[in-house]
Amino acid sequence: MEWTFSPDRPIYLQIVEQIKLKIISGEYPPGYRIESVRDLAEDAGVNPNTMQRAFSELEREGLVFTQRTSGRFITEDVNKIKELKDSMAIELISEFFKKMQEMGYSEAEILEFIESIVKE
Amino acid sequence: MSAILECRNLTKKFGSKTALLDANLSIERGRIVGLLGPNGSGKTTLIKLANGLLTPTFGEILINGMTPGVETKKAVSYLPDQNYLPDWMKVEDIITFFSDFYDNFSSRKAYDMLSRLNIDKESRLKTLSKGTKEKVQLILVMSREADLYLLDEPIGGVDPAARDYILNTIISNYNENATVLISTHLIADVEKVLDDIIFINNGSIILTDTVDNIRENKGQSVDSLFREVFKC
């Protein structure tokens, strides 16, 4: 598995984001059993405490749950995953609109652009 | 739980030169801590004080609540910044030597790591390169079940690929109740594995914080903060 970290933000937050991406892309399907924190930490070359913190965050958000004896799993709640996917899409699109508007395009122009690109 | 390492007003002078001045520090269990500072800032002095190789001029340093001595040496696994192993010995001799010497040394762990790094246990130390000798020393240190690992410049002399392996060795071998203190100036390489950092300069501790806090509050890596703080 490939992990990349940028230097300006806490690593645990970047791990949270990268795991969320795996969840919504289906690489980690609902109910998938995740490797141990220690193995993942070794794989990513980070401190196990950092990996643990990332999973505590994902657990808090209800995307991951722990079963005391058998390990840690991705949520089986497909609605929850859909919600996550949608909210990430909205975030991405708002970001895109904001940047386009900074470049001086109006909303109508942006939509026109998108349509013409999709047609190609 | 009590701190694994504590310094109170710790001061060390060599004649008129002050190597460490009024250091106050408390390091918790289960952490990987970077002791970061430029050359001559007092990193090695602090580590030697923790090992009882030096005695404080003033103040105190406590390991598990005790002053450094026979008891604390059982709990501390120390990697010095220089090679001290006898050159004529074979790698396997040294492993036997260490397992005689330390109750908490695991030969199995040591042989495991040697084979992963393709180091022949039959080789005599004098035939090994500088980097390979450093790897052997680190393997010896990490093969002990200690409470506190004091690693003085563990990655200074080895190539980047071995550096990654060594850092992985540190991550995968330490247990949740043990603390690893790594002194280095190669910050970019170790940053990913650290929980906390201690910045030390001219014998004074100028900053202690968690890596997450630094990134969150300052929006920069520890490496770039270091470059800013210690700008020449």
Side-chain angles (χ1 to χ4, degrees), chain B residues 54-67:
Chain B
L54 295 172
T55 51
T57 309
F58 185 76
E60 62 176 355
I61 184 163
L62 300 172
I63 310 287
N64 270 341
M66 296 176 282
T67 43

Side-chain angles (χ1 to χ4, degrees), chain A residues 5-14 38 41-50 53, chain B residues 30-32 116 168 171-176 191-195 212 215-216 219-221:
Chain A
F5 301 112
S6 73
D8 52 342
R9 294 167 51 242
I11 290 170
Y12 83 95
L13 284 179
Q14 301 184 51
R38 196 164 267 266
E42 216 175 308
D43 187 44
V46 303
N47 187 315
N49 294 331
T50 306
R53 186 164 179 195
Chain B
R31 313 289 287 179
I32 301 182
R116 270 180 72 178
N168 260 318
I171 298 172
S172 53
N173 277 289
Y174 102 111
N175 68 64
E176 288 76 9
E191 182 161 350
K192 275 197 303 178
V193 311
L194 299 179
D195 288 303
D212 283 344
R215 287 176 170 233
E216 209 152 334
Q220 65 185 150
S221 65

Side-chain angles (χ1 to χ4, degrees), chain A residues 7-8, chain B residues 187-188 191 199 214-215 218-231:
Chain A
D8 52 342
Chain B
I187 299 166
E191 182 161 350
F199 274 6
I214 288 174
R215 287 176 170 233
K218 303 201 190 284
Q220 65 185 150
S221 65
V222 174
D223 186 55
S224 77
L225 179 66
F226 184 90
R227 284 165 205 264
E228 205 174 284
V229 171
F230 294 107
K231 197 162 194 271

